[in-house]
Amino acid sequence: MTRCGSPRPVLGASDMRGSRILQRDRLGSVGTEAKGPAGRGRPADPDIERRVLAAALTVYGEVGWAGFTLDRVARRAPVGKAALYRRWPTKEDLLLAALEHLAEPPGNEADPTDLRGCLIRMTEQVIDMFVGPKALVLPRVLIEAWQYPPRFDDMVQNIVRARFGTVQTVIQAAVDRGELPARTPPDLIIDAIMGRVISLIVLTPGARRATINAEREGYAASITDFVLDAIAGLAWDP
């Protein structure tokens, strides 16, 4: 007997079970109302492909084909392995997709009648390929093209065509309109620029090579002007 109010009712086992069920139902309804409709999972990451391809180039530059693995790229990106394997089932698929970024041609904003401007842009790209963030990639591709997957050699040719095919056309057009001496071989100008860039990189101490890429616009203009001045003074035999 209690001192205040009516005596407390005694609940049987079935009543206690019913009370617990009712309490769960109430809690469940509250939770459902707070959360709203069920979601559809984590949204797709729109940046995943860029991160993976950049990581693939970095990893390949560091360890080469023998050490290149999808797991290592996934850790570097970082992305889940499942997402990576869905897009690129093999390491060859992934690396070839990444190497296509080295084969990107110059932008469409270039004026094809501006010989000097086009050559400066090409020279900047060459400098970036050798001393920029992807500097280790191209030398490895050139070395390993004959040793590893057959498609590597095709990719090297794609890189060459993309980087220099348009410039060859621009140089030939400059010859045709008399801006360059008649019969000037376009490959001669490209070879001269490439040789000067490689010479600059080889003869610059390693600790200072980063400054070449940081100041590549100035270096590119200087190299281009040197080559064009030299070509202008040549006379080809008829």
Side-chain angles (χ1 to χ4, degrees), residues 66-145:
F68 184 81
T69 66
L70 292 176
D71 288 356
R72 184 170 276 169
V73 173
R75 289 194 299 269
R76 178 64 64 92
V79 299
K81 293 180 185 177
L84 192 148
Y85 278 89
R86 279 197 302 270
R87 291 169 172 80
W88 303 280
T90 69
K91 73 174 191 176
E92 182 178 346
D93 292 330
L94 174 56
L95 184 54
L96 288 171
L99 288 176
E100 288 179 1
H101 284 250
L102 284 181
E104 291 175 347
N108 294 328
E109 69 279 2
D111 178 2
T113 64
D114 180 8
L115 174 64
R116 181 176 181 271
C118 288
L119 291 178
I120 288 175
R121 275 183 284 275
M122 183 202 77
T123 308
E124 286 185 57
Q125 288 187 330
V126 172
I127 291 173
D128 183 65
M129 288 173 69
F130 282 102
V131 293
K134 305 170 187 174
L136 294 176
V137 176
L138 184 58
R140 282 196 183 278
V141 172
L142 294 174
I143 293 170
E144 297 184 343

Side-chain angles (χ1 to χ4, degrees), residues 105-106 112 114-115 118-119 122 157-177 180 184-191 193-194:
D114 180 8
L115 174 64
C118 288
L119 291 178
M122 183 202 77
Q157 296 307 311
N158 288 341
I159 293 172
V160 170
R161 284 192 294 268
R163 292 292 183 181
F164 305 122
T166 301
V167 177
Q168 288 174 324
T169 302
V170 169
I171 295 171
Q172 185 59 56
V175 173
D176 294 341
R177 64 176 177 263
L180 290 172
T184 299
D187 287 346
L188 177 65
I189 294 179
I190 293 174
D191 290 348
I193 289 175
M194 287 284 292

